[in-house]
Amino acid sequence: MAYTKPSTKHRTFTHLNAFQRGQIQILHQEHRSSRDIAREIGCTHQTVLNELRRGTTTQIGPNHRRFQAYFPETGQAVYERNRSHCGRRLKLAAASEFVAYAEKKMLSRDQWSPDAVCGSARIDPAWKYKIRICTKTLYHYIDLGILKVKNMDLLNKLRYSTKKSRHRPNIKHLGDSIDNRPAEVQTRQQFGHWEIDTVIGKKSSDDDVLLTLTERKTRFTLSMKIDGKDPDSVDYGLKKLESKYGQGFGKVFKTITADNGSEFSGLVNSLTDQATHIYYTHPYAAWERPTNERHNGMIRKFIPKGRPISNYSRTFISQMIQAMDHLPRKILNYRTPAQEYKQELQKLVS
């Protein structure tokens, strides 16, 4: 038989406060039993017995006679001391080797995130039998200020903010809309679907520009310096990629998704000889190219806004992209985009 009304009274298990301890002292001096005291203050008699035992001390009276009496101040002091010992102890001492390793990675030039450090260590055989801490604990230690790493060293943590997305009417029609893009592109289960964008440094017509392409499944990034933010410069960059990949270009680059910037107005004509299909996002909808936008944000760690791209050599650009592609990612089970990309290329060859 099922009962519709529960008969069990839920307990709150609240701790005694200073006022209740004062009540216990007065009632105890009146020689009231522990059960009577418990009914008066609303707790169990065992709680009263524990409190009397906790707050009772030995006193010396007239003629040096010793007697025992309960003091609420003593009970409160013992309670607070016991509470200070509660909770799980920090693992700093036990995991000191891992903490030092994490600090080194997060403060190095690569600037690994706490999650990248913990995730890569989890799949690294060298750390299998060593004491480690999880991502949440590592963030907690940083917030407590007990590590060399501070929140200001975690660039993305300070940048995150909640923004409402706005969908504005489609004004430009440079080509096929993202609405017509196949569903398998969105699921990220198939290799060969890229997002393209440009990264500018100094807002000047004579400064170089970075052309970036990011593969949606593997998160692998390609980047190169081009002369400017115009269709001819973008076409030049794509021609270099065509010569690099040769006949396999159409298999590696099945689709490319771009925004409605004027520099991408000639993409369709640039790749007429390839099987690559070009799609365009809606205007003012950067979230429709999330992978590329995320990686452009990572580039800003190396090249801050306002710094001329021409100040950075092609070798530096190559090393920067290599560092990004060799960063373990949680979404890839802490494998790197370079590992995933190499594996996908091997599948195309075999």
Side-chain angles (χ1 to χ4, degrees):
M1 180 177 179
Y3 292 93
T4 57
K5 295 184 178 180
S7 59
T8 303
K9 184 178 180 181
H10 293 282
R11 305 174 186 176
T12 57
F13 295 103
T14 57
H15 293 191
L16 295 175
N17 53 43
F19 177 76
Q20 290 173 320
R21 288 186 170 87
Q23 287 180 301
I24 292 175
Q25 182 187 35
I26 296 173
L27 296 173
H28 183 62
Q29 290 174 349
E30 295 176 357
H31 304 289
R32 301 277 292 274
S33 69
S34 61
R35 294 185 183 275
D36 288 341
I37 297 174
R39 280 191 289 269
E40 287 287 341
I41 66 175
C43 66
T44 64
H45 78 283
Q46 187 62 50
T47 300
V48 176
L49 290 174
N50 293 339
E51 177 59 27
L52 290 173
R53 188 180 304 111
R54 184 184 300 117
T56 299
T57 60
T58 302
Q59 302 292 309
I60 300 177
N63 300 324
H64 301 283
R65 294 182 61 181
R66 297 176 180 272
F67 68 95
Q68 291 187 330
Y70 170 79
F71 294 93
E73 296 83 2
T74 304
Q76 184 71 22
V78 175
Y79 164 76
E80 292 176 356
R81 183 175 68 249
N82 292 341
R83 288 292 292 172
S84 66
H85 297 159
C86 294
R88 189 172 183 177
R89 301 295 179 267
L90 297 179
K91 294 174 63 176
L92 281 176
S96 58
E97 183 180 357
F98 179 78
V99 170
Y101 166 77
E103 290 177 333
K104 180 180 178 181
K105 284 294 185 181
M106 289 186 287
L107 294 175
S108 66
R109 183 178 179 182
D110 295 335
Q111 291 185 302
W112 281 25
S113 67
D115 186 63
V117 174
C118 297
S120 61
R122 188 172 63 190
I123 62 175
D124 188 353
W127 290 100
K128 185 176 182 180
Y129 299 105
K130 296 181 180 180
I131 299 178
R132 296 176 283 108
I133 57 179
C134 66
T135 302
K136 185 176 180 180
T137 302
L138 188 55
Y139 271 114
H140 179 57
Y141 288 173
I142 294 173
D143 290 336
L144 292 177
I146 56 181
L147 300 184
K148 296 179 182 178
V149 182
K150 308 301 178 185
N151 279 319
M152 64 183 300
D153 298 318
L154 308 177
L155 302 182
N156 287 335
K157 185 175 182 181
L158 300 180
R159 290 176 52 199
Y160 287 153
S161 61
T162 303
K163 297 181 181 179
K164 293 183 178 180
S165 60
R166 296 180 297 169
H167 188 78
R168 303 185 184 183
N170 196 348
I171 301 173
K172 295 183 180 179
H173 298 279
L174 300 180
D176 208 350
S177 172
I178 192 175
D179 295 332
N180 301 324
R181 197 173 64 174
E184 58 266 20
V185 181
Q186 185 66 25
T187 60
R188 299 178 185 268
Q189 298 299 315
Q190 187 182 64
F191 172 74
H193 303 289
W194 298 73
E195 297 172 3
I196 190 171
D197 197 13
T198 53
V199 177
I200 63 174
K202 184 180 179 180
K203 292 184 178 180
S204 175
S205 59
D206 58 350
D207 188 28
D208 293 335
V209 174
L210 282 183
L211 179 66
T212 63
L213 293 98
T214 308
E215 205 280 319
R216 287 177 56 84
K217 180 181 179 181
T218 62
R219 276 72 175 181
F220 186 80
T221 299
L222 295 171
S223 183
M224 68 187 73
K225 289 174 67 174
I226 56 178
D227 293 337
K229 193 175 179 181
D230 57 83
D232 291 337
S233 298
V234 173
D235 179 69
Y236 170 76
L238 291 177
K239 294 301 181 184
K240 289 185 65 176
L241 285 178
E242 285 187 271
S243 62
K244 177 181 178 181
Y245 286 90
Q247 296 180 351
F249 184 89
K251 296 180 179 179
V252 178
F253 297 86
K254 295 182 177 69
T255 68
I256 297 178
T257 303
D259 61 24
N260 284 265
S262 59
E263 68 271 25
F264 299 125
S265 59
L267 279 182
V268 178
N269 296 329
S270 298
L271 300 175
T272 51
D273 298 334
Q274 301 293 340
T276 307
H277 200 99
I278 307 299
Y279 295 96
Y280 291 92
T281 63
H282 298 97
Y284 313 104
W287 63 88
E288 293 180 340
R289 294 179 299 100
T291 311
N292 194 248
E293 287 292 326
R294 174 72 180 88
H295 284 72
N296 288 349
M298 295 174 66
I299 290 177
R300 289 303 184 188
K301 294 197 302 183
F302 301 90
I303 305 177
K305 286 186 177 180
R307 299 278 183 88
I309 301 294
S310 56
N311 290 355
Y312 299 90
S313 65
R314 299 185 186 277
T315 302
F316 175 85
I317 301 299
S318 177
Q319 292 175 345
M320 173 188 69
I321 299 301
Q322 186 177 10
M324 292 169 52
D325 288 336
H326 285 80
L327 177 66
R329 309 291 176 86
K330 179 179 181 179
I331 201 168
L332 301 177
N333 294 323
Y334 297 104
R335 286 171 57 84
T336 66
Q339 292 173 327
E340 295 289 322
Y341 185 72
K342 181 179 180 180
Q343 182 176 329
E344 293 294 338
L345 291 181
Q346 290 175 348
K347 291 179 182 179
L348 294 178
V349 175
S350 59

